[in-house]
Amino acid sequence: MRYILLFVILFTADGYIPQLNTEESQDRPRREIILYKTYGYLDGDEWVIPARVLVQKKRRWLQGLITWTMDLTSDYSDDQIDIFRYRLRNIVANSKGRRTVTIRIQGQDQEQRFQIKDSHGDFPRTDRNGLIRGEIRIPVDLASELLRYQQSENGWLTLELRSGRYRGSGHVQLIEPEGLSVISDIDDTVKVTEIPAGARVVVRNTFFREYSAAPGIAEMYDQWNDAAFHYVSGSPWQLFLSLSSFLFGDQAGFPKGSFHMKSARKNPMTISTWRDLLAFVTNENLTFEQKIDQISVIFQHFPDRQFILVGDSGERDPEVYSEILTRYPGQVKKIYIRDVINDRELNPERLAGMTIIPAPTILRQGVSVEELSEDIADADF
């Protein structure tokens, strides 16, 4: 009964529950625009930037209410509840549809303004999920001027975004047609998630624990100091801010790069959303085609670059990278697999031709996503 009552409150209380005073409320503005880290590639005399932009308004009352309820009904510590509240923020945010977004880049003489174009050449508004997807085109000469003005390193440009009272910023790396690029998985490759251990462990590591970097991988990436990096993950886009802050912060210290993640429904008031999120971080079948599609697009944008592919054995990275090697044999320089399930001994043919990065073996546990979803549905709030 209390579980049903909670969801009635969530559906009807917007605007009536006072804003809760959380530490996170001081960190970022309530109205925000997110430009997910991306890259630019050359097309004639223009840089083409694939862009994914989100406009949203935080539901801090809902974020606080859910974490307050968790605090009352679970055995998680105060620190774990704080982590959960922080990572929940983009899942429960209110996406803003039908908004236009202007992108501004400060130059030496004046501010340059751009808009995202879709595949039809139109300037779209945000959809019902608050998203605009398309591309930005910047003339080469202008881009060079902007890079000089911003004193950019490694081709990174800072962009400002505006939509009425909504504000945000983002970064794009303009990548030359030739050179070395690295495609990197995230979970159990650069960040310890322990996906083979089962859904319960994955959820705890994703939402309730401080992130932990996979040992030695950041140091390996630093050796490729002239490379461009693309992080391709089966995790949902709602975790972008948490993951990028961790990866590119001082503690983990991974090289900055573009992000490529999975779309997810985000209505927090339906069990299906939570099942989606659980499936997106644990169901390898959903991730297989997504990764192949996203990696293929990157290869097609940079046909003259060489690529190193880095993943782990806990999901289907070996199969994904084998397919990419089949499609683009002249561009794949090397494949590295962080072996977290001891396939080097138990299933060596799966990793044939790949360079193995030894890692502690993650024991598999027999807890399914369906069982965890039932636990959530039956929770006594």
Side-chain angles (χ1 to χ4, degrees):
M1 181 63 185
R2 279 179 289 174
Y3 174 76
I4 297 174
L5 179 60
L6 173 63
F7 275 84
V8 170
I9 293 173
L10 297 182
F11 272 114
T12 60
D14 198 359
Y16 296 95
I17 294 180
Q19 181 174 312
L20 299 180
N21 184 21
T22 65
E23 292 182 7
E24 191 272 334
S25 67
Q26 308 301 321
D27 293 341
R28 296 177 65 89
R30 188 179 181 192
R31 296 178 176 88
E32 65 179 351
I33 307 175
I34 299 171
L35 171 65
Y36 298 98
K37 273 189 171 59
T38 185
Y39 62 85
Y41 64 94
L42 274 176
D43 181 20
D45 59 355
E46 291 183 311
W47 286 100
V48 182
I49 301 169
R52 178 187 176 96
V53 170
L54 172 68
V55 181
Q56 66 179 17
K57 183 178 180 181
K58 293 182 180 177
R59 288 189 177 113
R60 288 179 180 147
W61 66 267
L62 178 56
Q63 183 181 351
L65 180 59
I66 293 175
T67 53
W68 173 76
T69 305
M70 290 285 296
D71 195 19
L72 290 180
T73 60
S74 72
D75 58 357
Y76 289 111
S77 68
D78 290 343
D79 288 343
Q80 289 173 317
I81 293 295
D82 286 342
I83 292 170
F84 177 66
R85 179 177 60 213
Y86 177 72
R87 294 179 188 163
L88 189 69
R89 67 197 189 283
N90 288 319
I91 296 173
V92 302
N94 183 15
S95 302
K96 307 305 289 186
R98 297 194 56 77
R99 300 197 67 92
T100 58
V101 176
T102 300
I103 296 170
R104 305 178 181 187
I105 310 177
Q106 185 61 49
Q108 182 173 354
D109 298 325
Q110 62 181 347
E111 182 182 73
Q112 302 292 330
R113 298 190 179 190
F114 305 88
Q115 281 188 282
I116 298 172
K117 285 187 178 182
D118 61 19
S119 58
H120 303 291
D122 298 325
F123 300 103
R125 295 173 180 264
T126 56
D127 62 18
R128 292 181 179 179
N129 290 311
L131 289 170
I132 297 178
R133 284 159 288 198
E135 64 182 29
I136 308 162
R137 287 182 172 263
I138 304 178
V140 169
D141 291 343
L142 176 58
S144 298
E145 174 192 323
L146 295 172
L147 288 169
R148 285 194 300 270
Y149 178 77
Q150 293 190 6
Q151 298 180 337
S152 170
E153 295 182 359
N154 299 321
W156 283 98
L157 271 178
T158 299
L159 286 64
E160 302 294 328
L161 298 95
R162 299 288 185 271
S163 179
R165 291 189 293 170
Y166 291 79
R167 300 286 189 272
S169 63
H171 302 89
V172 54
Q173 185 181 26
L174 305 182
I175 301 174
E176 295 294 335
E178 297 182 359
L180 177 66
S181 294
V182 177
I183 303 289
S184 175
D185 175 49
I186 293 180
D187 292 304
D188 289 325
T189 298
V190 299
K191 179 182 78 70
V192 176
T193 307
E194 299 182 292
I195 287 179
R200 293 183 191 276
V201 174
V202 171
V203 169
R204 290 191 185 106
N205 287 336
T206 301
F207 292 104
F208 294 97
R209 293 175 178 168
E210 295 287 355
Y211 290 155
S212 176
I217 304 300
E219 291 78 7
M220 183 175 79
Y221 285 8
D222 283 341
Q223 296 175 9
W224 303 320
N225 54 7
D226 293 327
F229 285 80
H230 306 275
Y231 295 91
V232 182
S233 172
S235 292
W237 281 106
Q238 286 87 344
L239 294 177
F240 163 75
L241 289 178
S242 298
L243 288 172
S244 60
S245 296
F246 165 72
L247 291 179
F248 308 143
D250 293 337
Q251 183 177 359
F254 285 93
K256 292 181 180 178
S258 63
F259 261 66
H260 311 266
M261 305 180 77
K262 189 178 295 177
S263 298
R265 289 177 289 185
K266 62 185 296 288
N267 184 341
M269 303 173 194
T270 64
I271 292 297
S272 61
T273 291
W274 297 98
R275 288 200 182 103
D276 276 356
L277 291 172
L278 293 173
F280 287 153
V281 295
T282 58
N283 188 335
E284 60 189 31
N285 292 323
L286 292 176
T287 304
F288 182 77
E289 291 296 334
Q290 169 229 337
K291 285 191 173 184
I292 288 178
D293 290 345
Q294 291 177 337
I295 294 171
S296 294
V297 169
I298 297 170
F299 271 68
Q300 291 161 14
H301 286 163
F302 299 102
D304 296 320
R305 291 185 73 88
Q306 292 289 296
F307 286 83
I308 294 174
L309 313 180
V310 188
D312 67 272
S313 61
E315 296 183 273
R316 297 183 66 186
D317 288 341
E319 289 74 23
V320 170
Y321 293 163
S322 293
E323 177 63 24
I324 294 297
L325 177 60
T326 299
R327 295 187 184 188
Y328 308 98
Q331 288 184 259
V332 177
K333 183 176 181 179
K334 203 164 189 177
I335 298 174
Y336 288 87
I337 295 295
R338 184 171 181 264
D339 185 15
V340 297
I341 57 173
N342 198 26
D343 267 351
R344 56 193 179 275
E345 295 183 7
L346 301 177
N347 192 12
E349 63 275 9
R350 183 180 180 228
L351 307 181
M354 304 178 187
T355 299
I356 297 172
I357 304 172
T361 299
I362 300 172
L363 298 178
R364 296 182 181 274
Q365 296 182 5
V367 179
S368 67
V369 172
E370 290 75 15
E371 290 174 316
L372 190 56
S373 299
E374 291 173 2
D375 287 349
I376 293 174
D378 294 336
D380 185 12
F381 287 101

